[in-house]
């Protein structure tokens, strides 16, 4: 009997989405989940959405974001956070930004989105300075509206996209170097670069430029070599000592 037509498998195509420059760690904290994010939140942050949704599902009341380790965030990255907030509201939960670095803080201030991620009661405990109804209950606060300076936001986004266009080629070349040097897949090579970048507190595009320089004989810093070796060993599940990068590489 011939197989039904719908059982045929479609041809696979390469995923052309930009790679993710960030990673997250989710930790249960009572009825909420703390989500610690590190790296750069740009258009590639869409790769994080399944993990963010999973963290939200694990919580009873929502998630608290720690964005201190985010060194770069553009409007595409912010949209990922806003989408998480929308999904949380649909589930009767909340998403708050517990802490953030200068890059995220500036974007939240420019767009006015910071108000949307504040914890309940951030403006003062209910029942103290809050207005009350005739029944003595705290009067509900009016829903916040996002006020965006469109011109400023567009200028910011254009500047960030130009920066991304300048740094992407070197990052892609560095990933190819790691793939060829250690026989890793594209995904594992990306994990190695991001891990080494985070552990050495080095911008990813700076790390990429260092690796590209190594091809022409410029030595890689000892700390970077060690962290690269550790990262390679981790994705392979073997001892870091066997993955040492030669001083001249």
């Amino acid at each position: 009997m011939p197989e039904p037509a719908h059982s045929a498998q479609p041809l696979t195509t390469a995923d052309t989405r930009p790679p993710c420059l960030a990673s997250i760690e989710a930790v249960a904290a009572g009825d909420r989940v703390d989500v610690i994010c590190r790296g750069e939140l740009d258009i590639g942050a869409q790769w994080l959405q399944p993990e963010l949704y999973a963290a939200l599902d694990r919580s009873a009341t929502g998630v608290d974001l720690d964005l201190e380790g985010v060194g770069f965030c553009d409007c595409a990255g912010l949209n990922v956070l806003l989408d998480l907030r929308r999904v949380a509201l649909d589930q009767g939960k909340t998403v708050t930004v517990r802490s953030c670095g200068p890059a995220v803080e500036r974007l939240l201030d420019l767009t006015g989105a910071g108000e949307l991620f504040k914890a309940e009661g951030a403006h003062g405990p209910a029942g103290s300075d809050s207005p009350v109804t005739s029944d003595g209950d705290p009067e509900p606060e009016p829903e916040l509206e996002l006020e965006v300076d469109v011109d400023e936001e567009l200028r910011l986004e254009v500047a960030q996209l130009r920066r991304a266009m300048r740094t992407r080629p070197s990052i892609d070349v560095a990933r190819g170097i790691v793939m060829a040097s250690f026989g890793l897949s594209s995904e594992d090579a990306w994990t190695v670069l991001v891990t080494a970048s985070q552990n050495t507190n080095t911008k990813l595009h700076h790390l990429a430029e260092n690796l590209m320089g190594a091809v022409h004989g410029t030595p890689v810093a000892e700390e970077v070599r060690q962290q690269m070796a550790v990262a390679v060993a981790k994705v392979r599940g073997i001892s870091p000592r066997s993955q040492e990068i030669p001083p001249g590489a």
Side-chain angles (χ1 to χ4, degrees):
M1 177 182 298
E3 294 185 0
H6 66 265
S7 65
Q9 298 297 318
L11 294 175
T12 58
T13 57
D15 196 327
T16 58
R17 290 182 298 174
C20 182
L21 301 179
S23 64
I24 63 172
E25 177 185 357
V27 181
D31 59 355
R32 300 183 68 78
V33 171
D34 291 337
V35 175
I36 305 167
C37 183
R38 302 181 182 87
E40 302 184 6
L41 292 177
D42 57 9
I43 191 171
Q46 58 189 303
W47 286 98
L48 297 176
Q49 287 180 311
E51 295 180 70
L52 291 171
Y53 296 154
L56 182 63
D57 290 341
R58 288 170 50 196
S59 71
T61 62
V63 300
D64 299 314
L65 301 171
D66 179 348
L67 306 178
E68 286 281 357
V70 175
F72 173 81
C73 183
D74 63 10
C75 294
L78 177 58
N79 282 336
V80 170
L81 302 182
L82 289 171
D83 187 67
L84 178 66
R85 177 181 180 273
R86 177 187 60 78
V87 174
L89 291 177
D90 289 342
Q91 299 178 9
K93 302 177 182 180
T94 60
V95 176
T96 70
V97 173
R98 186 178 61 191
S99 61
C100 62
V104 177
E105 183 177 11
R106 174 173 170 77
L107 185 59
L108 293 178
D109 286 345
L110 286 173
T111 61
E115 295 292 333
L116 301 177
F117 293 98
K118 285 187 175 180
E120 293 182 3
H123 301 287
S128 56
D129 299 327
S130 302
V132 296
T133 65
S134 58
D135 297 330
D137 296 325
E139 183 176 332
E141 295 184 0
E143 184 177 353
L144 294 171
E145 295 184 0
L146 178 60
E147 298 179 359
V148 179
D149 184 335
V150 177
D151 290 339
E152 182 65 28
E153 182 179 359
L154 288 175
R155 283 194 294 269
L156 178 64
E157 185 167 7
V158 168
Q160 292 167 337
L161 287 175
R162 286 175 176 170
R163 173 185 178 277
M165 290 173 64
R166 289 195 304 268
T167 60
R168 288 293 184 191
S170 62
I171 293 173
D172 288 339
V173 171
R175 179 163 54 169
I177 292 172
V178 175
M179 291 172 62
S181 298
F182 300 100
L184 300 177
S185 66
S186 176
E187 182 178 353
D188 284 345
W190 183 252
T191 299
V192 167
L193 288 175
V194 172
T195 301
S197 171
Q198 293 171 353
N199 291 346
T200 59
N201 195 27
T202 304
K203 292 285 187 181
L204 191 58
H205 63 277
H206 289 162
L207 176 64
E209 290 167 359
N210 290 340
L211 293 179
M212 291 171 61
V215 174
H216 300 289
T218 304
V220 176
E222 177 65 22
E223 182 185 12
V224 173
R225 292 196 302 108
Q226 292 178 355
Q227 291 301 326
M228 288 282 292
V230 170
V232 170
K234 185 174 181 180
V235 298
R236 285 181 166 176
I238 59 179
S239 170
R241 187 175 297 276
S242 62
Q243 300 301 318
E244 283 288 349
I245 301 176

